[in-house]
Amino acid sequence: MPEAPRAHTRAVLGLLLLFAGGVSGSAPPTSRPSIEPTLPLLVDVRLSQVERAAGRARGRLEIELLAGGDLGDIELSIALPGALWVTDGTALPPAFRMADRERRLLVLPLEGPDNRDLPIRLGGTFRTADGRTFRLGHGVTLGAPRPASVGRSYLGAWEVMAVPLEALRR
Amino acid sequence: MKRLLLAILALFSTTLPAVADYTVTGACAYVDREFDVNGFTGNEPVLPVRHVDVQVIDTQGTKIVGSGVANAAGNFTFPVVDNKTRNIYVRCLARRQTTTGIPVEVRASSNASDLWALRGPTISGHLPSQNVSTGTLVAVPGSGGEAFNLYDNAIYGVQYLDYLRGGPAPAPLLLVVFNPANANLSFYDGTAVVQANNAGYDDTVLLHEMGHYVVDHFSASHSPGGSHRLSDCNQDLRLAFDEGHATFFGNSVRRHFNLPNSSTYVRTTGQAGPGNLQFSFDTETQLPFVCLGATSETTVYAALWDIGDGPSSTDGSPGTDEPWDLLQGLDRDYWDVMTIHLPAAANISLEDFWDGWFQPSVANGRLTEMRAVFRQLGVEYEPDLFEFNDLPAEDRLIVPGPAIYGLTYFADRDNDLLGEGDTDRFYFDSVGGSTYTIETFDLRSDANTSLELLADDGVTILASNDDRSPTDKSSLISYTPPEAARLRLRSIHGPGYGIYGSYDLRVAGAAAGADEDQDGYTTANDCDDTNPSIHPGATEVCNLVDDNCNQVIDEGFDQDGDGYSTCAGDCNNVNAQIHPGATEVCNGIDDDCDFSIDEGGFPDSDGDGILDCVDPDDDNDGTSDVVDCAPLSYLASHLPVEIEERVTPVDTTTARIQWDQVPEANVYNVYRAQIPLAGPRDYGMACMLADVAGTTVDDAAVPTVGTYFFYQEAGRNPCGEGSLGSDSSGGARVPAMPCLPQDLDGDGDLVPDLSDTCPLLADPGQADADRDGRGDVCDNCPITPNPDQGDPDENGIGDDCQDGDEDGFPSAADCDDANPAVNPDVPEVFNGLDDDCDGLIDDVIEVVTITLATWLESSGRLTVEATTNHVPGSVTLTVVGLGTMNYVPVSGTYRLVAYFVPNPGSVTVVSTAGGSATYPVTPL
């Protein structure tokens, strides 16, 4: 993959802005990026410290939560494929609350086979201060090993190999 | 350049110079992921990549040796001038270059040299005279599929912009940056749309961000930007408009092109397979993020959506629309506001959009319909019932008590439909020593009230309040007059980004005068002090009485002024065209309020039960009317596609030109050009034969010495003449002497050849059971649609009707017509094949079998073993109430052993694949 430092910086900027608080009534327009619509509970699910050995994959599932308001009755559930399990028996917390701008990080150590994609799906519900309840979903896939790069930078373009239509239909 | 007539060249020249160039043909495509409100549907069709640049690369010389452009179907054909043997490959670039429209690029970074490209395999030792056919190059998920999906959606976006702008016109580059290393939130930063790493297939997210590009380059915004939460009903007025507009724009692109679920905004997790939803919402109903008032992006996109959508929109309720929404198809009216009025406005919000709509320079009109839509969303840009009450002399009487007065900051004294800053003034008679609580609440659309209580002189301020608290912009005054007096109240809009808004006002306290009916209101203002259901603030009902003492009878029940109130049968109170006795017209609406929609024999051309006026596909040919060039005839929906012909010599002087039928063409125009062997090529083609009903013509003409003939054919149908292909510059070929319509009827069946499903065989009935445009009497496969009549083995039976593996299923119904063990009647087994042709591989219905269930009393040991016909490890089996079973490879079974449990009598095993079984436990 080609590196995209500028774009990444902008994204981080956007995330920082996400919970930077309200806007002053007299503040002039700024050139902050326009970020996509979000839920008041922002979720980032990622895998870290993934190690592969002897046909097994081990890693940490990190669930990062950022509250964009006072939220209650936050209930999360996680669906793991049958072959993947939490190695230390850690469970997600029961219903909990988060204050505006509060951040939480939940970590689950996982282990499973290393020969196929293992999709991990997070679901949940939460209640906003005005009493409304919303659903959320998120997910990440513990992928099987693949070639290091799917493309290359060449002659003014980032090239990836095409798949012939006939091969797709086989 | 598509076809050089080499056969004719061989006939008339024996000493030709070498033609050292070649033609490159092929197509670019990508795997799409369809979605609905629940996330991905699991359907992943292959779609064309339209209008992309295509290049031929020399791998050794590291240079571009040729280039062309794919057409709207993703196909490309272009010549390459060359004279060397090279190793080459072809690549499709996620780029649309244009000087007359909006260019588009999808890059892997902001760097211009990181344009996403899809490359084919290397052709080693390619000869300079060897044509290249790449086939269809497909970008798949994880390897370019996301980038080309984003590109395709961007193309939809710029095409919608072309429509809004009245045609293609130059504009700045629309740049999209997608990289799996991106962060997980998408944004627009004034330069590019940076798409989140997990949003490569989130079409509406890309189109939302494109909405910001649109405002950036064609309108204006004063949004502070940054994050915004859909559940926030109290956003910055400017941000709410900018973000709501962006969502509206994105989903309007999908509505304009009749793409499915056009009102649905979907954010997925990016994972493969059905579902994988983060969240979704509906731009029409706002669900599940419902807010009222202009300080919510959800209100803004719902209001703007109602301006464009109609009963035939591909939204969540196709065929109908909300009863209060009588606007539709006003996309260009919306665009006028965006481009004419808003760029000069200050603190742009929904208020400015409203003003722009009615500005004389825009003058979109439809006040009643606009008010109905906005009012439904809690946006009341209209005078309240007390107007005009801006000046001291216009103070209006209100009564202390439980009544709640619904008010707006919106004055329009000059009746130009544009709002003005508004002051609401009232008076009431107080009782000495009694405390009065005066408050505003339920503020909407940034109303931000500020109250002043004045003495009867209208000048002396007795009490005042702007904001009830630092976080609550409503107002609260508590005041106890020392003696009975007339008090006056002034309500103004506090400082903010807007001047409009709505709020409720209540003055709680004792009212002066008698109250015989004990309804809380005295004779000072109770217009019927003998009836407790009649008093100020009472709910007005349709009963010919002034229930709420505002001197108006049954207000609100004939809002459209058509003479019919709702209690008199008016089924739509905001449209004066709808009422009992009105003329029913075909529009998907019950105009005459008789509980029937569009009765009266309006046409239904395809007989599908949906009248033409609301049927998105009147001829039921699968092509939406808005893009169907013949919407009432299933025989044609597009111009015929380009034709590939074959030219062979019949004898020394005659050439035979043949081609295969193409869909939606019954007759063909044959063109001929005479090309010099040397010097510049001029493809000035002239009509040779017009409206040929067959697919073969012979040409006995002889080209002059030093030239050869070049032939080109174009199918013709009621929509016109099909493509003649592209010239070497990529532009469409235009004949110097076009063929003229002949209006022939070669078979004499009184059906013109142009629309005759069998133009070579008299067939006045025109029966066509499979509706493929080929009449049954001449169709080589009459029960299965095969408009191209494909029959490569020339046995007279269309390929789609043949049964290659003789398993009883024709190829059209057999997903593998070379394998008799695969067809819709074969049960699915685990073999890596789609045995039953249902589109799924190894989708075997699970059978769980409990092979052992024993219980040993001495230790309370319960042993359960079970098997499943699914692949071991692919599912999880669980003994209900006891836990997950482990797979034991040695025995090929799943097992669970539990100790110190009582005998359950029986056990039930369930599997994650849906199977289950119950079995009695045997005590040991």
Side-chain angles (χ1 to χ4, degrees):
Chain A
M1 286 296 114
E3 293 184 358
R6 221 177 126 202
H8 192 70
T9 302
R10 287 185 188 133
V12 171
L13 172 64
L15 279 168
L16 288 173
L17 291 170
L18 197 59
F19 293 92
V23 177
S24 162
S26 59
T30 69
S31 58
R32 291 199 297 172
S34 298
I35 298 170
E36 64 175 283
T38 64
L39 297 171
L41 180 58
L42 192 70
V43 182
D44 185 17
V45 179
R46 56 183 179 260
L47 289 160
S48 68
Q49 300 178 20
V50 176
E51 297 175 353
R52 302 174 190 276
R56 310 293 295 171
R58 298 174 183 80
R60 282 159 46 100
L61 177 68
E62 297 181 351
I63 304 168
E64 185 170 9
L65 307 173
L66 278 168
D70 292 333
L71 304 176
D73 295 338
I74 303 171
E75 292 189 70
L76 302 178
S77 63
I78 192 161
L80 299 176
L84 194 63
W85 69 87
V86 181
T87 57
D88 67 356
T90 301
L92 292 174
F96 58 98
R97 300 176 56 84
M98 291 180 73
D100 187 16
R101 304 184 196 182
E102 182 181 345
R103 178 190 300 265
R104 283 198 188 193
L105 180 64
L106 309 173
V107 178
L108 302 177
L110 298 177
E111 179 178 341
D114 192 23
N115 60 354
R116 58 184 181 273
D117 288 344
L118 297 168
I120 301 163
R121 297 189 169 103
L122 179 78
T125 58
F126 59 91
R127 187 172 45 77
T128 52
D130 58 10
R132 293 181 293 168
T133 298
F134 298 104
R135 291 180 177 277
L136 64 85
H138 221 291
V140 67
T141 299
L142 177 58
R146 289 189 171 78
S149 173
V150 297
R152 64 168 185 171
S153 185
Y154 188 71
L155 211 56
W158 175 252
E159 293 183 338
V160 292
M161 283 301 298
V163 175
L165 183 60
E166 300 72 24
L168 269 185
R169 289 177 173 167
R170 275 200 289 272
Chain B
M1 183 178 73
K2 205 171 69 168
R3 282 163 289 275
L4 290 177
L5 186 44
L6 296 179
I8 298 298
L9 278 171
L11 281 173
F12 296 106
S13 175
T14 56
T15 57
L16 300 177
V19 178
D21 58 3
Y22 58 94
T23 300
V24 179
T25 60
C28 312
Y30 72 101
V31 173
D32 186 30
R33 286 181 178 168
E34 296 182 346
F35 62 83
D36 61 19
V37 69
N38 297 311
F40 294 129
T41 64
N43 294 329
E44 297 193 346
V46 175
L47 300 181
V49 180
R50 302 169 290 159
H51 309 300
V52 288
D53 285 351
V54 184
Q55 295 176 335
V56 180
I57 304 296
D58 175 359
T59 65
Q60 293 156 319
T62 62
K63 71 171 196 175
I64 300 164
V65 296
S67 62
V69 178
N71 63 17
N75 299 317
F76 54 82
T77 299
F78 59 89
V80 176
V81 177
D82 202 355
N83 56 10
K84 290 183 181 175
T85 298
R86 307 172 186 270
N87 295 341
I88 63 169
Y89 65 88
V90 175
R91 69 184 188 183
C92 308
L93 300 169
R95 175 175 71 189
R96 178 208 195 204
Q97 294 188 112
T98 173
T99 57
T100 57
I102 305 173
V104 174
E105 291 187 9
V106 181
R107 300 180 192 162
S109 76
S110 57
N111 192 327
S113 64
D114 274 335
L115 201 59
W116 277 92
L118 181 65
R119 59 159 294 184
T122 299
I123 304 168
S124 300
H126 173 260
L127 301 173
S129 59
Q130 178 186 358
N131 287 343
V132 173
S133 177
T134 67
T136 300
L137 304 175
V138 185
V140 299
S143 184
E146 292 85 354
F148 282 91
N149 173 66
L150 297 173
Y151 170 84
D152 193 38
N153 279 280
I155 291 297
Y156 274 125
V158 299
Q159 288 178 332
Y160 180 55
L161 268 178
D162 288 346
Y163 164 74
L164 293 174
R165 301 169 75 200
L173 170 70
L174 172 58
L175 174 60
V176 180
V177 176
F178 173 75
N179 189 306
N182 282 355
N184 64 359
L185 285 174
S186 304
F187 60 92
Y188 174 74
D189 64 1
T191 303
V193 174
V194 179
Q195 192 77 358
N197 59 42
N198 56 359
Y201 278 106
D202 289 353
D203 302 353
T204 49
V205 177
L206 180 279
L207 291 169
H208 168 97
E209 298 304 335
M210 185 180 169
H212 292 302
Y213 159 92
V214 169
V215 168
D216 203 14
H217 294 290
F218 301 100
S219 185
S221 170
H222 297 125
S223 169
S227 67
H228 48 102
R229 298 178 291 279
L230 291 158
S231 58
D232 186 355
C233 299
N234 194 29
Q235 295 172 325
D236 180 304
L237 202 59
R238 305 162 304 167
L239 179 142
F241 180 72
D242 191 47
E243 296 297 344
H245 167 266
T247 297
F248 152 77
F249 177 86
N251 285 72
S252 292
V253 172
R254 296 184 59 80
R255 172 178 51 77
H256 181 74
F257 290 104
N258 291 301
L259 299 174
N261 302 301
S262 63
S263 64
T264 307
Y265 180 99
V266 174
R267 182 65 163 101
T268 72
T269 68
Q271 294 170 286
N276 291 311
L277 180 72
Q278 282 199 43
F279 62 84
S280 66
F281 58 84
D282 187 89
T283 51
E284 182 169 38
T285 64
Q286 302 175 279
L287 291 170
F289 305 106
V290 178
C291 290
L292 294 173
T295 52
S296 160
E297 63 185 284
T298 76
T299 297
V300 171
Y301 61 61
L304 298 180
W305 178 266
D306 282 346
I307 290 172
D309 83 321
S312 63
S313 297
T314 56
D315 54 18
S317 56
T320 63
D321 205 351
E322 295 154 319
W324 59 84
D325 176 12
L326 303 174
L327 303 171
Q328 63 173 311
L330 303 180
D331 302 59
R332 284 180 167 157
D333 299 64
Y334 135 78
W335 189 246
D336 286 344
V337 178
M338 296 297 292
T339 56
I340 296 173
H341 177 71
L342 291 191
N347 292 321
I348 295 170
S349 71
L350 192 60
E351 292 186 9
D352 301 283
F353 184 85
W354 178 272
D355 288 346
W357 187 270
F358 297 104
Q359 279 284 348
S361 59
V362 176
N364 286 331
R366 300 179 178 85
L367 174 66
T368 302
E369 294 88 342
M370 285 287 283
R371 278 186 177 165
V373 166
F374 276 56
R375 188 185 296 143
Q376 198 67 30
L377 295 163
V379 182
E380 297 176 84
Y381 292 160
E382 54 190 296
D384 56 50
L385 293 174
F386 290 92
E387 294 293 343
F388 306 112
N389 60 338
D390 305 88
L391 306 173
E394 296 170 336
D395 284 3
R396 303 290 179 183
L397 173 65
I398 56 175
V399 182
I404 296 172
Y405 298 96
L407 304 170
T408 64
Y409 288 131
F410 190 99
D412 185 17
R413 300 186 81 99
D414 57 4
N415 204 30
D416 65 354
L417 308 185
L418 311 179
E420 300 136 18
D422 186 21
T423 299
D424 291 335
R425 303 184 65 110
F426 308 93
Y427 71 91
F428 63 93
D429 293 323
S430 65
V431 176
S434 181
T435 298
Y436 292 87
T437 301
I438 305 161
E439 62 179 335
T440 61
F441 51 93
D442 202 9
L443 276 52
R444 289 182 187 163
S445 303
D446 198 32
N448 188 15
T449 57
S450 182
L451 293 179
E452 285 181 347
L453 185 66
L454 308 172
D456 193 31
D457 62 9
V459 176
T460 305
I461 299 175
L462 303 174
S464 67
N465 180 246
D466 183 2
D467 295 339
R468 188 183 295 240
S469 75
T471 58
D472 186 346
K473 292 184 179 300
S474 66
S475 307
L476 173 65
I477 291 175
S478 181
Y479 180 73
T480 305
E483 55 190 21
R486 174 160 291 183
L487 303 180
R488 299 184 182 275
L489 184 64
R490 194 166 80 103
S491 169
I492 60 170
H493 194 302
Y497 297 119
I499 59 173
Y500 303 156
S502 59
Y503 63 101
D504 287 340
L505 171 70
R506 178 168 50 205
V507 178
D515 180 14
E516 290 187 7
D517 59 7
Q518 299 293 303
D519 61 0
Y521 297 88
T522 69
T523 49
N525 41 44
D526 190 344
C527 57
D528 184 350
D529 202 31
T530 64
N531 185 341
S533 63
I534 297 176
H535 55 75
T539 301
E540 189 76 17
V541 294
C542 204
N543 58 1
L544 304 179
V545 173
D546 175 15
D547 303 275
N548 58 4
C549 297
N550 67 347
Q551 301 177 340
V552 182
I553 295 174
D554 293 349
E555 74 276 14
F557 293 94
D558 183 18
Q559 293 181 13
D560 53 11
D562 61 2
Y564 293 86
S565 62
T566 53
C567 52
D570 193 346
C571 54
N572 189 312
N573 203 22
V574 294
N575 186 338
Q577 306 303 313
I578 298 175
H579 56 75
T583 301
E584 188 74 15
V585 295
C586 191
N587 54 6
I589 296 171
D590 176 15
D591 304 276
D592 57 3
C593 297
D594 67 350
F595 304 102
S596 296
I597 295 175
D598 296 347
E599 73 277 11
F602 295 105
D604 175 14
S605 297
D606 52 12
D608 63 355
I610 305 173
L611 298 180
D612 288 356
C613 63
V614 292
D615 190 344
D617 182 10
D618 288 347
D619 53 10
N620 214 13
D621 63 358
T623 301
S624 172
D625 291 343
V626 296
V627 294
D628 191 337
C629 59
L632 295 179
S633 169
Y634 81 94
L635 296 176
S637 57
H638 303 87
L639 291 175
V641 298
E642 192 177 347
I643 292 173
E644 301 273 354
E645 83 285 340
R646 303 174 294 281
V647 181
T648 54
V650 177
D651 52 38
T652 56
T653 60
T654 303
R656 173 160 295 165
I657 304 103
Q658 293 176 289
W659 59 92
D660 294 327
Q661 289 200 56
V662 296
E664 300 191 7
N666 292 329
V667 296
Y668 302 87
N669 291 332
V670 182
Y671 290 92
R672 184 176 64 198
Q674 188 162 263
I675 311 292
L677 292 173
R681 291 169 180 161
D682 178 3
Y683 288 94
M685 296 178 295
C687 183
M688 188 177 96
L689 286 171
D691 284 359
V692 177
T695 56
T696 301
V697 297
D698 290 344
D699 184 13
V702 176
T704 57
V705 174
T707 67
Y708 64 92
F709 280 153
F710 175 88
Y711 296 98
Q712 194 77 47
E713 302 75 35
R716 201 166 79 80
N717 66 21
C719 295
E721 185 181 72
S723 170
L724 282 168
S726 304
D727 60 22
S728 57
S729 67
R733 285 202 184 96
V734 179
M737 293 180 57
C739 292
L740 300 177
Q742 300 298 302
D743 194 23
L744 302 175
D745 178 16
D747 56 9
D749 61 1
L750 302 181
V751 180
D753 289 350
L754 184 65
S755 54
D756 192 336
T757 56
C758 285
L760 296 174
L761 196 61
D763 177 26
Q766 297 285 294
D768 180 12
D770 56 7
R771 287 172 59 88
D772 64 355
R774 308 302 174 200
D776 292 349
V777 298
C778 62
D779 192 339
N780 66 9
C781 183
I783 58 171
T784 302
N786 63 332
D788 63 356
Q789 299 285 284
D791 181 21
D793 58 6
E794 299 181 342
N795 67 351
I797 303 174
D799 272 10
D800 287 346
C801 276
Q802 298 195 135
D803 181 9
D805 54 10
E806 298 183 341
D807 61 357
F809 288 88
S811 60
D814 193 339
C815 57
D816 186 352
D817 203 31
N819 183 354
V822 173
N823 66 54
D825 270 359
V826 173
E828 188 80 15
V829 295
F830 283 108
N831 57 2
L833 302 175
D834 176 15
D835 306 278
D836 57 1
C837 292
D838 65 353
L840 301 171
I841 295 173
D842 294 348
D843 56 320
V844 177
I845 297 174
E846 186 179 35
V847 176
V848 171
T849 305
I850 299 175
T851 56
L852 177 72
T854 61
W855 179 71
L856 184 62
E857 183 175 11
S858 60
S859 61
R861 186 183 73 189
L862 178 71
T863 305
V864 183
E865 292 184 357
T867 61
T868 169
N869 60 342
H870 274 222
V871 176
S874 66
V875 299
T876 299
L877 299 190
T878 302
V879 180
V880 174
L882 290 171
T884 304
M885 305 177 79
N886 294 314
Y887 181 66
V888 183
V890 174
S891 61
T893 62
Y894 290 78
R895 178 183 296 162
L896 178 140
V897 179
Y899 289 90
F900 310 118
V901 296
N903 183 357
S906 67
V907 290
T908 297
V909 174
V910 297
S911 168
T912 51
S916 67
T918 300
Y919 199 75
V921 174
T922 303
L924 298 176

